[in-house]
Amino acid sequence: DEDGQRCFGGAAGTSVGLRSAAMAQTGGSSDLTAQGAQWLQGAKEAVMQMTKGEKKDEDESYSPFQSLQKAAVLQECRCFNDREINPRKCISILTKILWLLAQGEKLTALETTEIFFGVTKLLMHKDQQLRRLLYLVLKELKPSPEEVIIVCATLTKDMNSKVDLNRANALRVLGAIIARTDPTMLAQIERHLKQALVDKNCFVAASALVSGIHLMHVNPEVVRRWVNEVQTALASDNPSVQYHALALLHQIKRQDRLAVSKVVASLTRTPLKSPLAHCLLIRFAKAMMEDGGSERDRALFDFLEASLRHRSDMVIYEAATAICSLTSVAQRELSPSITVLQLFLCSPKPACRFSAVRTLNKIAMAHPMAVTPCNMDMEGLINDSNRSIATLAITTLLKTGSESGVERLMKQITSFMSEIADDFKIVVVDAIRAMCLKFPQKHRLLMTFLANVLREEGGFQYKKAIVDTLLSIIARVPEAKEAGLSHLCEFIEDCEFTLLSTQILYLLGVEGPSTQEPSKYIRFIYNRVVLENATVRASAVSALAKFGISIAYLRPSITVLLQRCLYDNDDEVRDRAIFFVTLLTGLDSGATLAGKSAQSLLLEPLPVPLAALEASCREYLAAPTERPLSIDDVTIDAEMLAKMQKEATSKAAAASEDAGPAADAPAPAMAAPAEEADLLSRMPEFVHVGARFTSSKRVPLSEVGTEYEVVCTKHLYASHLILAFQLNNTLEDQLLSSVTVALDLAAVPGLALETHVPCASLPFGQPGTAYACLRRLEGVPVGTIPCTLKFVVKDVDPATGPTDDEPGYEDEYQLEELEVCAADFMKRVAVLDFRAAWESVGNGCEVVETFSLSYNSIRQAMEAVIDFLGMSPCENSAAAPDDVTKLTVLLSGVFLGGMQVFAIVNLRADSNRAVGMRLTVRSSDMTVSQFVASSVA
């Protein structure tokens, strides 16, 4: 029976299986296909997720110290006191300590002492890897002066060790600890250091030299006694020893310029075996050439040129960079360096290519023609895999390229721009701006390129750089104005940055009304009123109003558009709309605001700062009069002017930090002379002087770094001369008050002192300004004025600051003499067609003089003559190469009183130190012509 059941069951199962198979073959084939496809899709997704997980794990950086706690590490340090030291465990703990210190973790004095004594016990162990870590930990722990004694005693044994590795590391660690904590302990180990300087083992000698370099900063008297040993080490065959020996020898002798020159001169005649030492010697030679002034040492320059043929790429590049960075280097002197850098452009090493193109990029700023032969090689770098190299190559080509190659270059850049980051794009855009100003005829091509990239994706800084470039081109190239405005109008249709939209709308309001077809910009501006946020809508309302103010036939239409903004949701937009609708409605009747017409008040810059206008309005509201307030009544006091100058100083300092280190200036940066003079005429003491005629350059009356730095700017008016003295107190323990500059006018009888405006307070490091107003009595007074700084000085404690009970005492400080010269009475005004203006004046009042000038080059003589005359070069006649032997400069200016003056300066190089000059001056008054011609003498 059981066998029967089994047979029946098996048959039944078989029949069921056959029926299922039949069904699968007939009606269920589609279900199986769907299940199979679903299974394959699931397997594919699983594989994709596994792959992503593996990539994610690979990208994530793993740190074994990620969750490390200082308390746990300090607890583990107790194992340093065990009887049986486990080197592997101690190495792990020391590594954790170094990691914590590298992350900026601070240890208390007690914690440092505990670790220090534990580490000193480990020095008894012989494990070399453990010992090397111990040296690192000792150097990073910064032990106290009491613990330094223990360090010296412990490491002195290692300095006498037979193991060179221990000796060298002990020298390095002990030198660093002594330099950082107690320099007086150098005398205890001086004997060991002097012996190590001439050790046969190069690592020991180099370590001693490095310790000497560090100790030179804290105990130079002791280190200077090692000069004989250092010179012996300089003759070593090891590159590292020779390099460090040269560095230390220069540190020892750097205070003695003659000794340094002897060392450099001797080493330039005997080739160094170390490429690093050779590079260091090149830098010392360049520094000596720069210190030599105009008379350059020819032997040192020959050494730099000879280094261009060195077998090491590092030395070759260092020499090329040194030559290219020399001040006043001639273009012919650059040729060997340019040739070497051109070879580097084809190097298979990315470092060589990058360094070469970076240096050529810097040279192109001052000598673009010298870099032109490298353009073909740099074009091949546009497709370099290193994007930094490609960007530098493109920017250099934009600076040095010719006008005929602009189109080809822009085609290459088009494909390149989509492959680089925004930071590199900004660099390229800045270079395109310079090229457009260099070749204004190509403005259409360049502006089209900028407009295309402006529509692409990019961040705010990138878009702002493009917009600023378009604004610069519009301002500098008149033919590009309408095309540029059209490109900007298209951009604001999709602009997502409020600041850029408002900036462009302001420009449209200023420049749009003066175009040939101003009505075409109305649609773009009004779209901003309908579609944008409140800030942009307010700017659009102001831009529309400027069109209505400037163009009479558009005024009714503009008024209708502005009336639609009267019910805007934003208060600012509504207020502007109401104001401008009222203004445009009453414009035809001749309505004025604050004594000014609407055109002059809204389309021209305010003649006074907003702060001064606000102060005058408050005073008028506090004490109103029957006479309405006029903008001509607004004045500015000296305190407000000083505050504005302080803000200008901080902005200039911030700009210089963004641009990099700037050249030394004789005094802190102030407001521009023209802007400062325009504000001066609004001061109550100077409202009577009238309109400003011209302003001079800043003239230093004291040297940089002296107790009190004084710089003078001369502002000339019709009958007055205002002297603005910019002051800086460099003494931290003094507070100056009632600061004035006393003038002795006996040598200049044509001037009389009218008033002084003293600087009320001059604290340390905060610039201030004092003024003196001189009245011109007759003629054109010239001469030198002795100056004395007078003030009341109070002694202050830098820690606590000044006290009110300190009375102070009067003191004075002698300044250099101030020269009033002919250039102070001349305004620099260029003319477009000099020849036509020259002929129109005629030769009736012509004066011709010849001079022999003591200058080394024609360029120096030309710059000096332009400063003497105070005139402006015309027709780009002052742009001349450095090695020119003959030059004709065309100058134009306006003399005091509005008289046009012209001059032709013919220069000829008579010798290396003499330049001959023929000066021809023409004007409508013979007295003026003679006065201008005699100013050079």
Side-chain angles (χ1 to χ4, degrees):
D1 294 339
E2 292 177 359
D3 293 338
Q5 289 179 359
R6 284 196 297 269
C7 292
F8 179 78
T14 305
S15 64
V16 172
L18 291 173
R19 284 197 301 270
S20 300
M23 289 176 63
Q25 290 177 358
T26 56
S29 60
S30 60
D31 295 337
L32 287 176
T33 304
Q35 291 176 4
Q38 186 177 1
W39 180 85
L40 288 173
Q41 181 65 26
K44 188 182 296 184
E45 291 177 357
V47 172
M48 294 283 290
Q49 290 178 357
M50 292 174 61
T51 306
K52 289 180 180 178
E54 291 176 359
K55 289 184 177 179
K56 184 177 180 181
D57 293 341
E58 291 175 0
D59 294 339
E60 289 180 354
S61 60
Y62 171 72
S63 173
F65 312 118
Q66 192 165 4
S67 58
L68 193 64
Q69 298 294 327
K70 183 178 74 171
V73 177
L74 294 176
Q75 189 73 18
E76 292 178 2
C77 289
R78 295 182 178 180
C79 71
F80 295 163
N81 300 319
D82 294 346
R83 279 189 171 186
E84 296 293 332
I85 299 296
N86 185 348
R88 302 280 76 79
K89 184 178 180 181
C90 293
I91 288 173
S92 176
I93 297 172
L94 292 174
T95 306
K96 293 177 182 179
I97 294 173
L98 289 173
W99 187 86
L100 288 173
L101 294 175
Q103 298 302 311
E105 193 74 42
K106 301 295 184 183
L107 298 176
T108 64
L110 181 60
E111 292 169 346
T112 302
T113 302
E114 290 179 356
I115 296 176
F116 171 76
F117 282 107
V119 167
T120 54
K121 293 179 182 179
L122 294 180
L123 287 171
M124 305 300 294
H125 205 277
K126 302 297 183 182
D127 189 89
Q128 289 298 322
Q129 187 176 358
L130 176 61
R131 183 171 286 271
R132 294 177 69 180
L133 272 177
L134 290 173
Y135 290 132
L136 289 176
V137 172
L138 284 173
K139 189 166 63 172
E140 295 295 330
L141 275 181
K142 301 178 182 177
S144 63
E146 295 79 11
E147 297 165 348
V148 171
I149 301 174
I150 302 175
V151 175
C152 288
T154 305
L155 294 182
T156 302
K157 297 179 182 179
D158 286 350
M159 286 193 292
N160 296 321
S161 172
K162 295 181 180 180
V163 182
D164 292 334
L165 183 63
N166 293 349
R167 292 170 57 205
N169 283 322
L171 288 169
R172 281 178 177 267
V173 174
L174 198 52
I177 292 175
I178 289 176
R180 194 166 50 223
T181 56
D182 189 5
T184 59
M185 297 190 65
L186 177 58
Q188 299 180 16
I189 64 167
E190 181 184 6
R191 178 176 58 86
H192 300 284
L193 285 170
K194 290 180 71 173
Q195 291 176 355
L197 290 173
V198 293
D199 195 275
K200 294 180 180 179
N201 186 278
C202 59
F203 185 36
V204 174
S207 299
L209 290 166
V210 171
S211 299
I213 293 173
H214 291 304
L215 293 167
M216 184 68 193
H217 299 291
V218 295
N219 201 339
E221 294 79 11
V222 176
V223 180
R224 287 195 180 99
R225 297 200 295 258
W226 308 347
V227 62
N228 293 330
E229 287 79 5
V230 174
Q231 288 177 339
T232 303
L234 188 59
S236 173
D237 293 335
N238 185 268
S240 179
V241 174
Q242 196 175 53
Y243 167 68
H244 290 109
L246 180 58
L248 181 55
L249 186 63
H250 182 266
Q251 288 284 332
I252 292 173
K253 299 190 174 184
R254 64 179 178 178
Q255 303 295 338
D256 188 352
R257 188 175 182 277
L258 182 60
V260 173
S261 63
K262 288 182 179 179
V263 171
V264 173
S266 63
L267 293 177
T268 54
R269 293 191 292 268
T270 57
L272 296 171
K273 296 181 180 180
S274 170
L276 287 171
H278 201 128
C279 291
L280 202 58
L281 183 60
I282 290 173
R283 296 189 180 185
F284 296 156
K286 176 185 175 292
M288 287 190 59
M289 295 172 68
E290 296 287 0
D291 293 341
S294 58
E295 296 186 7
R296 188 180 297 160
D297 192 336
R298 188 64 201 177
L300 294 179
F301 190 83
D302 292 340
F303 164 71
L304 295 182
E305 285 192 331
S307 300
L308 296 173
R309 298 182 288 274
H310 199 272
R311 62 179 179 274
S312 172
D313 291 342
M314 179 169 52
V315 175
I316 295 172
Y317 175 70
E318 188 69 35
T321 306
I323 293 175
C324 296
S325 59
L326 286 172
T327 55
S328 65
V329 61
Q331 187 167 330
R332 56 182 175 79
E333 295 175 328
L334 290 172
S335 297
S337 302
I338 300 294
T339 304
V340 168
L341 294 174
Q342 187 175 5
L343 295 175
F344 274 24
L345 293 176
C346 305
S347 172
K349 301 176 184 177
C352 290
R353 298 198 303 274
F354 175 79
S355 58
V357 72
R358 184 170 177 266
T359 304
L360 290 172
N361 187 280
K362 293 180 179 179
I363 300 171
M365 298 179 184
H367 304 278
M369 297 303 297
V371 186
T372 304
C374 305
N375 284 0
M376 293 300 295
D377 297 289
M378 281 189 288
E379 286 186 14
L381 297 178
I382 293 179
N383 299 320
D384 196 286
S385 57
N386 189 312
R387 296 290 87 184
S388 299
I389 296 175
T391 304
L392 284 171
I394 283 179
T395 54
T396 308
L397 287 170
L398 291 172
K399 295 174 185 176
T400 62
S402 61
E403 189 171 0
S404 59
V406 173
E407 296 183 9
R408 176 169 52 85
L409 187 59
M410 297 310 296
K411 289 180 181 178
Q412 293 177 302
I413 296 177
T414 302
S415 59
F416 169 79
M417 290 291 283
S418 60
E419 303 173 3
I420 59 176
D422 282 1
D423 293 340
F424 293 131
K425 291 179 181 178
I426 293 173
V427 176
V428 175
V429 169
D430 291 338
I432 291 175
R433 176 194 308 179
M435 171 171 268
C436 190
L437 299 179
K438 181 180 178 182
F439 304 121
Q441 296 82 2
K442 296 292 182 180
H443 70 272
R444 292 186 180 277
L445 174 66
L446 297 175
M447 292 184 73
T448 302
F449 170 79
L450 292 173
N452 292 333
V453 297
L454 190 58
R455 300 189 192 98
E456 298 175 357
E457 294 294 328
F460 171 73
Q461 295 297 336
Y462 172 48
K463 295 297 181 73
K464 186 177 185 303
I466 299 175
V467 171
D468 290 343
T469 300
L470 289 172
L471 297 181
S472 298
I473 296 173
I474 292 171
R476 300 285 293 275
V477 184
E479 299 84 2
K481 182 169 75 171
E482 297 211 13
L485 292 178
S486 299
H487 291 314
L488 293 174
C489 285
E490 295 176 3
F491 169 63
I492 60 174
E493 289 290 314
D494 300 316
C495 180
E496 57 183 323
F497 303 110
T498 300
L499 179 62
L500 298 182
S501 296
T502 54
Q503 186 178 10
I504 294 171
L505 287 170
Y506 173 79
L507 178 71
L508 289 174
V510 173
E511 300 291 345
S514 60
T515 57
Q516 294 182 355
E517 192 179 349
S519 58
K520 68 179 181 180
Y521 303 109
I522 303 297
R523 175 176 63 87
F524 294 101
I525 299 176
Y526 187 69
N527 284 345
R528 303 306 101 216
V529 175
V530 178
L531 302 173
E532 292 289 352
N533 57 48
T535 305
V536 179
R537 294 201 305 272
S539 298
V541 167
S542 298
L544 284 174
K546 291 178 181 178
F547 278 83
I549 293 171
S550 303
I551 306 170
Y553 72 89
L554 288 178
R555 196 170 299 153
S557 302
I558 298 295
T559 305
V560 173
L561 294 177
L562 292 178
Q563 286 174 344
R564 298 178 183 178
C565 305
L566 296 178
Y567 304 100
D568 193 274
N569 296 329
D570 186 74
D571 294 342
E572 176 70 20
V573 178
R574 285 199 309 273
D575 291 346
R576 291 195 186 194
I578 293 171
F579 172 74
F580 286 122
V581 166
T582 306
L583 179 65
L584 293 176
T585 304
L587 196 61
D588 294 330
S589 60
T592 61
L593 288 174
K596 295 283 185 180
S597 64
Q599 286 86 347
S600 62
L601 193 61
L602 298 178
L603 301 182
E604 297 176 3
L606 281 176
V608 293
L610 285 175
L613 181 60
E614 179 185 2
S616 297
C617 290
R618 291 182 184 277
E619 292 175 1
Y620 185 83
L621 291 175
T625 60
E626 296 181 358
R627 182 172 176 267
L629 178 65
S630 173
I631 201 166
D632 294 330
D633 300 331
V634 178
T635 59
I636 179 171
D637 57 8
E639 183 179 352
M640 185 180 297
L641 184 57
K643 183 179 179 181
M644 295 180 62
Q645 290 174 342
K646 186 177 180 180
E647 293 176 355
T649 303
S650 60
K651 289 181 180 179
S656 64
E657 288 179 3
D658 296 338
D664 292 337
M670 298 288 180
E675 298 175 1
E676 181 182 340
D678 292 337
L679 296 177
L680 284 178
S681 60
R682 291 285 179 173
M683 292 178 62
E685 296 87 354
F686 305 138
V687 291
H688 62 286
V689 299
R692 178 181 61 92
F693 179 71
T694 187
S695 297
S696 71
K697 295 181 179 179
R698 293 187 173 94
V699 181
L701 300 183
S702 64
E703 296 183 358
V704 179
T706 55
E707 297 93 329
Y708 315 110
E709 297 176 350
V710 182
V711 177
C712 178
T713 305
K714 294 167 280 188
H715 305 289
L716 184 67
Y717 298 82
S719 302
H720 294 80
L721 180 66
I722 296 180
L723 305 178
F725 299 99
Q726 297 156 5
L727 313 170
N728 185 33
N729 176 18
T730 63
L731 298 179
E732 192 174 3
D733 57 350
Q734 287 189 0
L735 171 65
L736 308 185
S737 60
S738 303
V739 186
T740 59
V741 178
L743 306 172
D744 184 1
L745 300 177
V748 189
L751 292 176
L753 179 63
E754 192 169 90
T755 182
H756 268 302
V757 179
C759 177
S761 178
L762 189 64
F764 163 73
Q766 297 183 15
T769 309
Y771 303 95
C773 181
L774 308 179
R775 187 174 68 257
R776 187 166 56 88
L777 302 177
E778 57 181 359
V780 183
V782 294
T784 56
I785 304 175
C787 303
T788 305
L789 187 68
K790 294 188 175 182
F791 47 85
V792 175
V793 60
K794 297 180 181 180
D795 295 328
V796 299
D797 185 356
T800 60
T803 56
D804 296 334
D805 55 351
E806 176 68 30
Y809 55 91
E810 294 184 357
D811 199 358
E812 60 182 38
Y813 182 79
Q814 193 65 38
L815 302 174
E816 296 181 8
E817 293 183 341
L818 175 66
E819 182 180 6
V820 180
C821 57
D824 298 330
F825 300 89
M826 184 76 71
K827 181 190 294 187
R828 296 173 182 259
V829 179
V831 294
L832 296 177
D833 190 349
F834 181 86
R835 298 295 177 184
W838 177 266
E839 296 298 333
S840 64
V841 174
N843 59 0
C845 299
E846 180 179 281
V847 176
V848 181
E849 298 284 352
T850 57
F851 303 91
S852 179
L853 308 177
S854 299
Y855 291 99
N856 295 333
S857 67
I858 285 185
R859 174 171 288 278
Q860 293 180 2
M862 174 195 69
E863 293 172 353
V865 170
I866 292 176
D867 287 338
F868 288 146
L869 298 177
M871 303 173 74
S872 176
C874 302
E875 300 181 4
N876 203 27
S877 58
D882 295 332
D883 53 354
V884 67
T885 58
K886 290 184 179 181
L887 182 64
T888 299
V889 185
L890 311 177
L891 302 177
S892 171
V894 176
F895 196 72
L896 179 64
M899 185 178 300
Q900 191 79 40
V901 181
F902 302 98
I904 298 179
V905 182
N906 300 105
L907 299 171
R908 181 188 70 253
D910 292 338
S911 63
N912 292 333
R913 296 187 179 182
V915 176
M917 182 183 74
R918 183 176 184 270
L919 175 63
T920 307
V921 180
R922 285 187 181 183
S923 69
S924 57
D925 189 334
M926 178 60 74
T927 305
V928 174
S929 299
Q930 292 174 347
F931 176 77
V932 173
S934 63
S935 62
V936 179

